[in-house]
Amino acid sequence: MTARRPLVVVKSGGNAGVDPAGVCADVAVLTATHRVVLVHGGSAATEALAARLGVPQRFHTSASGVRFRHTDAATLDVLTMAMVGRVKPTLVTELDRHGVPAVGLTGLDGGLLRAALKRDQVAVVAGRRMLLRGGRGGRITEVRADLLHRLLAGGYLPVVSPPALGADGAPVNVNADRVAGALATALRATALVLLTGAAGVLARPEATEPLPEVRLPRGEGAVTLPGVRLAGGMGLKLIAAREALRGGVDTVLVADGGVDRPVRRALDGAGTRIRLAHPEVPA
């Protein structure tokens, strides 16, 4: 009976505009009709902990225009502590308060997420390309979803975050939005809901009303949309959305994680629905 319910992957953004308690309360209601996997980031918690510990944080823009955190060994330690010690326990205990048995996992547990390390990353600094070495950031190469299937079949709600496991047996930082997209694909989810601090995909950073629908180009690399100026981490969210759609996920939504009933509002049409552009027809 449980296995026949539709499965939704929800990604709760790590910025201050997302209300974790509100997300958990809504997810708890949703579990009456859906199986749910909750993925979370931890950007705000990571930056706060790094400041307390005196670990400098470096952000760069890639050659393709995507903003990313340079993950050296010290930053990876801080990120893992923030995810596992601060963000995840808050979500798990909040779900328990609503009667939902949750299990907190990183990509390391059971070899859930495998990643390839990006040993050298190219960043654009003051208009010039710079090679960054010694990073522990990477890209997901494999999802071993058996553990999640077992937890879901047992009535548990998995709460998943980076890091992933590298080929060298050490942790690798991976983007949480792309984790959510990869899990949605591997689990054959009916929907992926990416909750953020904005109302959805905005045409301009200062806009308040989201675009109701966005059609993404099918190619690789950074996402650019005519007439749209993407801000913050929205570019990576759209890359994650494209990967999920190309992987067979039917519905991908970007919506406000700071409102009441954020997940159900998104499923009911709030925020922005992401689709792939129609393939070009040969002349």
Side-chain angles (χ1 to χ4, degrees), residues 1-134:
M1 185 70 69
T2 299
R4 295 177 183 174
R5 292 182 298 164
L7 191 149
V8 176
V9 174
V10 177
K11 194 274 181 168
S12 180
N15 67 56
V18 176
D19 175 21
V23 172
C24 289
D26 199 30
V27 164
V29 175
L30 190 64
T31 57
T33 54
H34 293 70
R35 294 170 295 148
V36 181
V37 174
L38 181 60
V39 178
H40 69 85
S43 55
T46 298
E47 289 166 30
L49 183 58
R52 286 181 55 193
L53 297 176
V55 178
Q57 299 292 282
R58 290 186 289 163
F59 292 89
H60 297 286
T61 301
S62 71
S64 59
V66 175
R67 187 172 184 264
F68 66 95
R69 183 197 306 271
H70 180 63
T71 309
D72 56 17
T75 293
L76 181 60
D77 284 344
V78 172
L79 183 145
T80 303
M81 286 188 285
M83 295 281 195
V84 178
R86 300 289 293 276
V87 182
K88 199 181 309 294
T90 298
L91 295 172
V92 170
T93 54
E94 192 67 26
L95 287 166
D96 181 75
R97 194 170 71 84
H98 291 282
V100 177
V103 176
L105 302 166
T106 71
L108 305 175
D109 294 299
L112 174 60
L113 299 174
R114 302 278 173 160
L117 189 65
K118 297 178 183 177
R119 296 192 179 277
D120 298 326
Q121 288 182 289
V122 178
V124 178
V125 180
R128 299 179 62 183
R129 293 193 174 204
M130 182 176 72
L131 189 63
L132 304 176
R133 298 187 182 275

Side-chain angles (χ1 to χ4, degrees), residues 116-249:
L117 189 65
K118 297 178 183 177
R119 296 192 179 277
D120 298 326
Q121 288 182 289
V122 178
V124 178
V125 180
R128 299 179 62 183
R129 293 193 174 204
M130 182 176 72
L131 189 63
L132 304 176
R133 298 187 182 275
R136 292 297 305 178
R139 180 173 298 178
I140 299 165
T141 57
E142 184 182 0
V143 176
R144 299 185 177 181
D146 181 64
L147 176 59
L148 300 184
H149 284 301
R150 290 174 181 269
L151 290 171
L152 290 165
Y156 295 96
L157 192 154
V159 179
V160 184
S161 75
L165 188 64
D168 58 0
V172 174
N173 183 28
V174 288
N175 176 262
D177 291 308
R178 298 179 82 170
V179 168
L183 291 182
T185 297
L187 294 169
R188 299 182 180 179
T190 56
L192 167 64
V193 181
L194 301 170
L195 297 176
T196 183
V201 180
L202 307 179
R204 304 174 310 281
E206 64 273 17
T208 56
E209 291 297 319
L211 298 169
E213 180 178 295
V214 165
R215 288 192 177 268
L216 302 180
R218 294 171 176 261
E220 300 291 337
V223 173
T224 57
L225 302 171
V228 176
R229 185 156 50 94
L230 301 174
M234 190 57 71
L236 277 170
K237 281 182 172 50
L238 294 182
I239 289 174
R242 181 176 62 195
E243 290 170 348
L245 290 167
R246 289 172 58 174
V249 179

